Amino acid sequence: MSMRSRAVIDRAVADAVAALEVGDADALPRLATLAEEAPRNPRAHFAHALALEAAKRPAEAIAAYSRALARDRKLDAAAQRLAVLLVNYSAVSPDTLDRRGLLAGLHNSNIDPQPLARVGFSWLKSHGALAAPIRLARDAGWPAAAEAFLAHRNEVAQSDPLLLACLEQGSNADADIELLLTAVRRVLLFNPALVERKAPRALACALVRQTRTGDYVWFADAEERAALNTEIESPLLQALYALPAPDAKIRPRTLAAMLIEAYAEAENERSLATELPSLGVLTDATSSVVAAQYEDNPYPRWQRLTRPRPGAFVQDMARFVGTTSQRRPEILIAGCGTGQQAIAAKLGYGKDARITALDLSRASLAYGARRARDYGIDHIRFVHGDILEAAKLGRHFSIIECVGVLHHMANPMAGWRALVDCLEPNGAMLIGLYSATARQEIATLRAEIAHRELGTDADTIRAFRHELMTDAQTRWKQTLSAPDFYGLNRCRDLLFHAHERPVTIPEIGAWLGELGLNFRGFALPEARLARFRLEHPDADPARDLDAWHAFETTYPRTFAAMYQFWCVNSRPHAA
C-alpha cells in the first residue's frame, strides 16, 4: 500500500481529474491506480468513478461510486451520480456494489432512494437476509419460510440494516419478496407476542413503512381480515394492513410519529386542494373519468427526488434542441400529477425558470404543492384544469413537458394540439407516450380485466395482483417486472386505468407533421442508442423515425416505459 499522505493523494487526484477534463487518455489508469493506492480515500474512488463514467463503463462506475459513498456517507455528488446511473443502467450486478455505500445512499436526503432500493432488494434476495427464506419457500411454501425467518435464531437477518433501510426508504418490486413479506406479516398478525422482541418489532415497523409506500397493496386473506375486525388490538399490527387513527400514546414511538405525520400530511393536502386556481369545470367526459381516478388514487406517491444540479436540465435539453435564449423561461408541466416532475423542473432548469404545473386532479396537485413546500419551493404555479383548456392559462411557453398524459385522453391529438397552441415559435416540447408495441402484455391483461368486468376498488386490485403473482405458469413476467405493479395507486394506473390509448412510431411521425413539430430524438440510455447506431449506421437517431420503427420491431421492449422524445415548434407564429 502506498505511504503517500492524504494531501499528496488528493493533489494527485486533482491533477488526474484536470487531465481527464482535457481528454488525456492516461487519466483513467492514473485514477484507477490512485484508488488502489488509497482504498480509504473517498475522493480517489469518486474521481475514478467519474473517469469510468466518461469512458462509458457504467457498471464499473456504479461500483466505484458506491465505494466512494461507503467511505464518505455525506458525499452527495457520489450519491447523486449513483442514483442517476442506476436509473439508466438496470443490468448492474448487485454484488459488485459496496454494501455500505448502498446503505449510505438509501439514507441520503438528496436522492431518490428507489434506484438504490431496487439493487438492495436484489442483493438481499440473492445474497442477503432474504436469500435463505426464499429458497426455503420454493420447497416448503411461503408460510413455512416466513415462520422460519421469524424464528429467534434469525434475529440478525430480521434486523439486517440493509433490509430495514430498503423497506423504510424504497418500494419493493419483486414478486418473490412480496410473497415472503406478506407471509411474514401474516405470521406476525397471528403471533402478536413476536413483536415484543426487539428484532421482530423493528422489522414490523419497517414493514409498516413499506406497506404504506405501496398504499397497502398487499393481499390479505379472509382469515386475516376477520382477525383485524375482531381480535387484533395492537396498533402496530393494525398498521401493517391500514393506518389506524393517530395517538401520541401509541407504542413504539416511531409508529406514533409516523401516524401523526401521515394524518397531518393528509389534512394539509385537503386544505391545499381548496386553494388551487382552476381553469373551470371539466367538460370532456373522458377527462372527467380520468380525473375521478386520480382523485381516488393520486399517482405517483413519491418520497424523495434526486436533486438535479441547477441548470442541468437546460444542458440535457440542449443535446436535443439547442439552448434557450431566455433568461427566465416560461415552462409548462402539462399533466403534472403529484408534482415530482414540476419540482425537478424548478430545480433543474434553474432558479429563474417560471413553472406552471397543470393537472386534472386536485388531490394530485395538492400532494405536489405540499411536497414543493417540503423542498422549500414556493414559485411553482399549480393549476387545476384540462389540457384541452390550456389556452385559458393566458400565456405562451418556451418549454412544455407532457410525459405520460396524452395517451389517457379521448383524442391524444386534440390534447397535443392544445399544447402546441401555447408553445412559442421554436419552443421545445418533451413528450411521453405509451408504446403499443411494448405494452402488448399490459393490453392483454386490460382486456381480461374488462372481460371479467372487474371493478377498481382496492380489494379487487389486491386479489387480481395476487392471482398474477401466484400463477403457476408465470405467464406475466413483463408485468411482474414493472415497478408500478407494486403499489395500489400505481397498479390501478398500470392495469386498471379508466382510459388508455397507446400509440406507434408511425402515428407519432404523422402527428408531428400535422402539428408543425420537428422530431429531435428519443431520450434513451446510451447503451440503447449505441445499439441503434450499430444496426442503423446510416440513420440519424435524432431525425429518422422510420429507422426507429424498424429498430422497435426488432426489439419490442425498447420503449417499455414509454416513448419519450424532444421536438421543436417549427411554426413561425404561436396561435
Side-chain angles (χ1 to χ4, degrees):
M1 181 178 291
S2 171
M3 299 301 292
R4 290 194 283 177
S5 70
R6 177 162 183 164
V8 172
I9 291 289
D10 286 347
R11 283 197 297 273
V13 168
D15 290 342
V17 169
L20 177 68
E21 290 174 348
V22 298
D24 186 340
D26 293 331
L28 176 54
R30 285 165 57 192
L31 287 166
T33 299
L34 288 167
E36 290 179 1
E37 286 185 8
R40 297 182 181 179
N41 188 310
R43 294 185 185 181
H45 288 287
F46 178 65
H48 185 213
L50 288 173
L52 289 165
E53 187 176 356
K56 299 188 183 335
R57 292 161 63 177
E60 295 169 83
I62 287 169
Y65 282 128
S66 74
R67 291 193 292 272
L69 198 55
R71 287 147 183 83
D72 183 354
R73 297 174 60 89
K74 298 181 180 179
L75 191 55
D76 284 352
Q80 289 169 343
R81 292 311 309 157
L82 179 61
V84 169
L85 278 182
L86 285 173
V87 168
N88 293 319
Y89 189 79
S90 59
V92 64
S93 176
D95 58 354
T96 63
L97 274 69
D98 190 304
R99 190 172 181 271
R100 295 168 301 159
L102 197 58
L103 189 59
L106 284 164
H107 289 290
N108 189 296
S109 62
N110 289 312
I111 68 167
D112 176 1
Q114 188 53 33
L116 281 71
R118 174 180 55 79
V119 176
F121 277 120
S122 179
W123 189 89
L124 289 162
K125 179 180 179 179
S126 59
H127 298 80
L130 303 181
I134 287 175
R135 285 196 300 270
L136 176 61
R138 289 171 182 148
D139 294 326
W142 296 110
E147 290 179 2
F149 179 66
L150 287 169
H152 196 281
R153 66 181 181 275
N154 286 325
E155 287 198 345
V156 172
Q158 296 161 24
S159 57
D160 179 270
L162 182 60
L163 172 61
L164 298 183
C166 286
L167 291 171
E168 292 169 353
Q169 306 296 329
S171 177
N172 169 59
D174 180 276
D176 285 342
I177 292 177
E178 180 177 325
L179 290 169
L180 173 64
L181 296 179
T182 303
V184 165
R185 181 182 67 167
R186 193 180 195 281
V187 172
L188 291 171
L189 181 71
F190 290 111
N191 298 273
L194 285 172
V195 296
E196 299 301 319
R197 302 197 328 247
K198 183 178 179 180
R201 184 169 63 251
L203 175 63
C205 287
L207 285 172
V208 171
R209 290 273 187 191
Q210 180 67 195
T211 52
R212 185 184 170 217
T213 297
D215 299 301
Y216 291 98
V217 74
W218 294 354
F219 177 75
D221 63 29
E223 192 176 4
E224 289 171 274
R225 294 195 297 272
L228 287 164
N229 290 331
T230 58
E231 304 170 19
I232 304 302
E233 297 181 358
S234 164
L236 176 55
L237 297 178
Q238 291 172 359
L240 289 168
Y241 292 83
L243 282 183
D247 186 335
K249 297 179 182 179
I250 285 176
R251 294 294 180 269
R253 289 189 180 91
T254 54
L255 176 63
M258 187 192 315
L259 298 178
I260 291 170
E261 178 185 56
Y263 278 85
E265 288 173 352
E267 181 59 33
N268 188 9
E269 289 168 26
R270 282 191 290 270
S271 176
L272 288 169
T274 66
E275 301 169 4
L276 295 166
S278 178
L279 301 184
V281 176
L282 303 177
T283 57
D284 180 81
T286 299
S287 296
S288 297
V289 172
V290 171
Q293 170 178 329
Y294 290 125
E295 293 297 340
D296 291 338
N297 301 99
Y299 170 88
R301 293 190 187 276
W302 53 280
Q303 295 192 48
R304 303 195 300 271
L305 56 78
T306 299
R307 280 183 177 265
R309 178 176 46 80
F313 283 19
V314 176
Q315 293 179 351
D316 289 344
M317 181 182 70
R319 295 188 297 113
F320 296 93
V321 302
T323 57
T324 176
S325 59
Q326 295 189 11
R327 190 177 65 84
R328 301 185 66 191
E330 289 274 2
I331 300 169
L332 172 63
I333 310 299
C336 68
T338 51
Q340 188 174 26
Q341 185 182 355
I343 294 168
K346 179 60 182 176
L347 296 169
Y349 283 111
K351 63 183 179 65
D352 293 326
R354 293 181 289 193
I355 309 292
T356 299
L358 178 67
D359 200 83
L360 294 166
S361 163
R362 286 185 177 274
S364 297
L365 287 162
Y367 186 98
R370 177 179 66 79
R371 296 312 312 273
R373 292 183 181 181
D374 292 344
Y375 277 85
I377 296 172
D378 56 5
H379 296 298
I380 298 176
R381 182 178 175 233
F382 289 96
V383 181
H384 171 254
D386 195 335
I387 284 173
L388 294 169
E389 304 293 337
K392 291 182 180 179
L393 292 169
R395 60 186 68 182
H396 289 93
F397 301 90
S398 54
I399 302 168
I400 297 178
E401 295 188 2
C402 185
V403 177
V405 179
L406 296 174
H407 47 240
H408 292 314
M409 303 184 73
N411 185 343
M413 181 63 168
W416 199 350
R417 187 184 300 279
L419 294 178
V420 172
D421 287 344
C422 297
L423 186 64
E424 293 178 351
N426 300 312
M429 297 189 91
L430 176 64
I431 298 294
L433 292 163
Y434 283 157
S435 162
T437 300
R439 291 178 71 83
Q440 292 177 13
E441 183 174 293
I442 299 294
T444 299
L445 287 171
R446 284 177 56 81
E448 175 69 11
I449 289 166
H451 174 72
R452 288 161 58 174
E453 299 182 341
L454 297 181
T456 57
D457 59 281
D459 283 340
T460 298
I461 293 173
R462 292 181 186 117
F464 188 72
R465 289 181 71 258
H466 187 69
E467 179 183 334
L468 298 187
M469 284 193 293
T470 55
D471 184 329
Q473 300 179 52
T474 60
R475 292 172 293 170
W476 312 110
K477 292 181 180 179
Q478 292 177 7
T479 302
L480 296 183
S481 69
D484 277 353
F485 183 77
Y486 295 89
L488 186 71
N489 293 5
R490 288 177 279 146
C491 188
R492 183 173 180 187
D493 192 86
L494 178 72
L495 297 177
F496 289 80
H497 202 283
H499 181 80
E500 178 177 312
R501 200 286 203 189
V503 303
T504 65
I505 289 178
E507 283 183 297
I508 290 172
W511 290 347
L512 288 167
E514 188 174 338
L515 292 168
L517 298 170
N518 292 329
F519 178 73
R520 286 290 182 266
F522 289 110
L524 286 168
E526 180 56 40
R528 212 160 299 166
L529 290 169
R531 170 62 65 178
F532 175 86
R533 294 188 188 100
L534 180 66
E535 301 202 7
H536 298 271
D538 298 326
D540 181 351
R543 298 289 189 277
D544 196 336
L545 282 170
D546 289 339
W548 276 112
H549 180 49
F551 186 81
E552 186 184 25
T553 301
T554 304
Y555 302 101
R557 298 288 293 166
T558 299
F559 301 98
M562 68 181 71
Y563 303 116
Q564 193 161 316
F565 57 92
W566 285 95
C567 50
V568 173
N569 188 5
S570 63
R571 299 186 305 177
H573 299 288

